[in-house]
Amino acid sequence: MSQAQCAVLQRRRFNRGQISLGIRAHLSRTEPTRHAVGVNTPPAQTRPAASSPAPSPAAGPAADAWFLRRLPFGIFLIIGSVIGLWMSFLLSIDKLRKLENPGITLSCDLNPFFSCGSVMEYPQAQLLGFPNQFLGIVAFVVPLMFGVLVLARVELPGWLWTGLAAGLGAGALLCMYLFYTSIFAIGVGCPWCIVVWTVTIPMFCVVTGYAALRGFFGAGVTASPYARVFAQHALLIGVLWMCIVYGLIIVKFWTFFSGLL
């Protein structure tokens, strides 16, 4: 092989080496970009979406109900229970005084239209074989204890709250029965009894609303829009309930009230 041919062959080998180095340099510069845009990269592993927590029984606007806060709810139960307990105690004392002296004038004998002593003479005043006043003394101790426990931050099981709501419901029904028999059947109102009705019915409404919003009556009741509306306005419903009672009393004894005008 001549020297000229050897020179040509070496020049070709040199050119091939330069081309190979250029290609490698180009690939090294473009490699980060390829990874950045995801070329030949495995698909990213997607994490399963975390399930959202279930809403609490009192979620939504109903969570703002005042009786879901410990302080006002506990105070409400204590005040209502103390008033009912005190009225029941006064009625019990008057009943004992009436038994000792049937002709005595009691502290709640205001006039012929409103007289506890007159109502005590009827069988409806002893539905269970003993004076109804004694039942009130025992009954109002229960919500009083609940109110104290609420202020003490004691978490009570749901069945106790449903039991309290049921007990107050029975008390509200008894109040309505005594209201009808006293005002419309006997025709005489018992002032201290009316005070007992005034605290029993709102307490029943509020405790029932509390149990409903806390989910103690079951998920079906809590999810019901009607139950939630009742629960949110429980105290207002109790007040309106008593306003109807007061209105019927005024209508029944309009002869007395018209004389006050």
Side-chain angles (χ1 to χ4, degrees):
M1 181 180 296
S2 63
Q3 292 182 353
Q5 292 177 341
C6 289
V8 171
L9 182 60
Q10 290 179 355
R11 194 178 300 110
R12 289 178 179 177
R13 290 177 179 176
F14 176 79
N15 291 336
R16 290 175 182 175
Q18 291 295 326
I19 293 173
S20 177
L21 290 175
I23 293 174
R24 291 179 181 177
H26 176 73
L27 291 177
S28 64
R29 288 194 302 269
T30 58
E31 188 68 16
T33 306
R34 292 171 59 196
H35 285 289
V37 298
V39 178
N40 296 330
T41 57
Q45 298 293 331
T46 58
R47 296 181 180 179
S51 58
S52 58
S56 60
D64 298 331
W66 63 269
F67 50 80
L68 291 179
R69 299 189 293 271
R70 290 182 180 273
L71 183 60
F73 185 45
I75 293 176
F76 172 80
L77 290 177
I78 291 175
I79 292 178
S81 301
V82 168
I83 293 175
L85 189 61
W86 180 245
M87 292 297 103
S88 299
F89 178 76
L90 292 180
L91 285 169
S92 300
I93 296 299
D94 287 343
K95 178 63 177 180
L96 295 177
R97 294 175 61 195
K98 188 74 173 178
L99 292 175
E100 294 177 355
N101 184 4
I104 191 175
T105 300
L106 303 176
S107 59
C108 55
D109 293 337
L110 305 181
N111 51 59
F113 297 96
F114 295 95
S115 172
C116 298
S118 300
V119 177
M120 290 179 184
E121 298 175 357
Y122 288 84
Q124 290 86 343
Q126 303 183 67
L127 292 177
L128 301 179
F130 57 87
N132 299 336
Q133 301 90 317
F134 298 161
L135 180 62
I137 291 178
V138 176
F140 281 109
V141 171
V142 178
L144 176 61
M145 294 175 57
F146 272 73
V148 173
L149 292 175
V150 167
L151 291 183
R153 299 182 177 275
V154 177
E155 289 292 339
L156 299 174
W159 65 268
L160 284 178
W161 286 109
T162 55
L164 179 62
L168 288 171
L173 290 177
L174 179 60
C175 289
M176 290 298 95
Y177 171 77
L178 295 176
F179 157 71
Y180 174 79
T181 56
S182 173
I183 303 301
F184 294 99
I186 300 175
V188 180
C190 172
W192 298 165
C193 299
I194 296 175
V195 176
V196 172
W197 307 341
T198 303
V199 296
T200 301
I201 291 174
M203 286 176 64
F204 160 66
C205 294
V206 170
V207 171
T208 302
Y210 174 82
L213 292 183
R214 289 293 303 274
F216 297 146
F217 290 132
V221 175
T222 305
S224 172
Y226 302 104
R228 294 180 72 85
V229 169
F230 167 82
Q232 288 179 257
H233 306 285
L235 182 58
L236 177 60
I237 292 174
V239 172
L240 292 177
W241 186 343
M242 283 310 305
C243 287
I244 294 174
V245 171
Y246 298 149
L248 293 175
I249 293 175
I250 293 174
V251 171
K252 176 63 177 179
F253 300 138
W254 180 247
T255 303
F256 166 74
F257 287 103
S258 62
L260 300 177
L261 300 178

